[in-house]
Amino acid sequence: DPAKAAAHAAEHGIPRSFGTYEAMLDDPGVDAVYVSVPNSLHHPCTMAALAAGKHVLCEKPYTRRPDDVNEAFDAADRAGLVLMEAFMWRHTRQTQRLLELLPRIGRLQTVRATFSFPLRNPDNIRLRADLDGGSLMDVGCYCVSGARRLAGGEPATVYGTQEIGPSGVDLRFTGVLTFPGGVVAEFTSAFTTDHESLEAIGTEGRLWLPDPWHNVRGVFYLNDEEIRLDPGNPYQLE
């Protein structure tokens, strides 16, 4: 709505506003866009932005459809544009320190991850199947991202089981990923409990992060050693 957009821009000191996505993409003064629409709209909005010559930061997860991923990143490469999936946790000081300390636990064997929060509003878009909702898409994708980052590659096999809610999306999802080299990752995501963690277990110890995704606490553990860092703002770091 052009009037609502103009009012919001005026309130927050934003120099330009638009009434449609198309008008925004047609503006040569816009160099990059942040795509924060519901999951099912990530790909079409990203493709429209790339076609308009804009760099794109797209919210996680980009999509659940592999062909869309290939199409989008190939299009960005051809156009010389930056396309990035917005997993802010990967850019925190905590994550960088985690990767530096990973060799100290020996050969990585197991990754355990959780991310869940209580979702009680039945009208929340995260519960809409037509918008690609569900706990795996909303928060379980962080666990998958964490497993891939620690294991250093793509899983060779994947197994998952889910608890489907009344709206047709998963309220709870549990997955097991096996990686080349013998690393096994186990994770659970849910809209029923309040929990998050990331644990790396190796032949000589473990690393445990009680706040891996938001990184508000700025503390994690190498065996019994407490490690504290200034968490910073993960979105600015991203």
Side-chain angles (χ1 to χ4, degrees):
D1 181 283
K4 288 172 63 177
H8 184 83
E11 179 183 354
H12 296 282
I14 299 171
R16 47 164 63 87
S17 65
F18 309 93
T20 66
Y21 294 153
E22 291 78 12
M24 180 267 295
L25 293 177
D26 286 341
D27 188 335
V30 174
D31 301 310
V33 298
Y34 168 53
V35 175
S36 58
V37 294
N39 294 333
S40 62
L41 301 176
H42 287 176
H43 183 59
C45 287
T46 293
M47 294 303 293
L50 293 174
K54 316 298 184 185
H55 304 289
V56 179
L57 176 64
C58 182
E59 256 310 324
K60 41 54 58 183
Y62 181 78
T63 178
R64 61 185 177 89
R65 301 169 181 85
D67 289 345
D68 289 353
V69 176
N70 293 331
E71 181 184 20
F73 282 87
D74 287 349
D77 288 343
R78 287 194 301 269
L81 296 168
V82 173
L83 169 58
M84 178 175 159
E85 187 179 35
F87 273 113
M88 84 294 187
W89 83 273
R90 284 177 169 244
H91 303 273
T92 64
R93 299 180 182 114
Q94 176 176 257
T95 298
Q96 298 308 311
R97 188 65 178 138
L98 167 68
L99 296 174
E100 292 170 0
L101 293 173
L102 194 59
R104 290 182 56 180
I105 66 170
R107 183 170 60 86
L108 181 64
Q109 294 189 315
T110 304
V111 176
R112 294 175 179 158
T114 66
F115 198 179
S116 61
F117 68 96
L119 184 56
R120 300 184 177 92
N121 179 5
D123 296 324
N124 192 287
I125 63 168
R126 295 171 177 85
L127 296 177
R128 286 182 52 174
D130 61 324
L131 296 180
D132 286 352
S135 74
L136 174 62
M137 289 291 284
D138 191 55
V139 287
C141 60
Y142 281 92
C143 301
V144 175
S145 177
R148 291 175 58 245
R149 192 69 182 93
L150 290 172
E154 300 295 342
T157 64
V158 176
Y159 171 80
T161 183
Q162 60 186 347
E163 175 188 327
I164 300 294
S167 68
V169 304
D170 58 291
L171 299 181
R172 184 173 59 171
F173 190 99
T174 298
V176 177
L177 315 175
T178 65
F179 292 83
V183 178
V184 177
E186 311 160 356
F187 76 90
T188 296
S189 61
F191 290 148
T192 57
T193 58
D194 189 6
H195 195 270
E196 62 177 279
S197 65
L198 179 63
E199 183 180 19
I201 302 171
T203 54
E204 299 175 29
R206 73 163 190 156
L207 285 154
W208 177 58
L209 284 67
D211 179 25
W213 319 122
H214 293 106
N215 189 30
V216 175
R217 304 181 197 178
V219 60
F220 67 102
Y221 300 88
L222 171 61
N223 297 321
D224 294 329
E225 177 187 355
E226 182 180 273
I227 299 170
R228 289 191 171 273
L229 295 168
D230 174 12
N233 185 315
Y235 298 99
Q236 287 181 336
L237 293 168
E238 176 187 61

